């Protein structure tokens, strides 16, 4: 097994939480994705933060194009490895 991870970048915490929950429903992800707040350098203001949804895909069964479309539903994107 590989250590493949997908990172979805979302605009706010609400979007990240909704997307993390929907991943299980849409893609059958069993392991709960990790949410990470990513503030821009030197910024503490929540409005300047992005939220990352990190999910492991050791079996490499998730299609990156489908994840791109999924993240776009919350005005986000999938980070290229």
């Amino acid at each position: 097994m590989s250590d493949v991870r997908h990172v979805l970048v979302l605009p706010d915490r609400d979007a990240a939480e909704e997307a993390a929950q929907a991943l299980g429903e849409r893609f059958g992800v069993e392991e709960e994705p990790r949410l990470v707040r990513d503030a821009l350098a030197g910024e503490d203001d929540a409005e300047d933060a992005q939220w990352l949804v990190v999910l492991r895909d050791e079996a490499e069964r998730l299609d990156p194009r489908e994840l791109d479309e999924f993240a776009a539903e919350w005005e986000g994107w999938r980070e290229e490895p």
Side-chain angles (χ1 to χ4, degrees):
M1 285 197 175
S2 66
D3 187 30
V4 174
R5 294 173 197 256
H6 298 283
V7 178
L8 307 181
V9 182
L10 298 167
D12 57 50
R13 183 179 187 139
D14 290 339
E17 289 175 344
E18 289 175 24
Q21 183 176 21
L23 279 165
E25 297 166 8
R26 171 102 46 101
F27 296 101
V29 174
E30 294 179 14
E31 182 178 331
E32 187 172 334
R34 203 172 91 210
L35 300 181
V36 179
R37 181 179 180 268
D38 183 34
L40 300 174
E43 297 291 334
D44 284 333
D45 188 351
E47 291 182 23
D48 293 327
Q50 298 172 329
W51 284 82
L52 309 179
V53 177
V54 181
L55 61 144
R56 292 180 10 185
D57 184 20
E58 295 172 348
E60 296 185 47
R61 64 178 193 81
L62 299 173
D63 182 341
R65 289 175 304 220
E66 289 181 20
L67 289 173
D68 287 334
E69 292 171 9
F70 177 80
E73 293 175 21
W74 283 273
E75 299 179 11
W77 64 91
R78 182 185 56 85
E79 220 26 61
E80 289 292 330

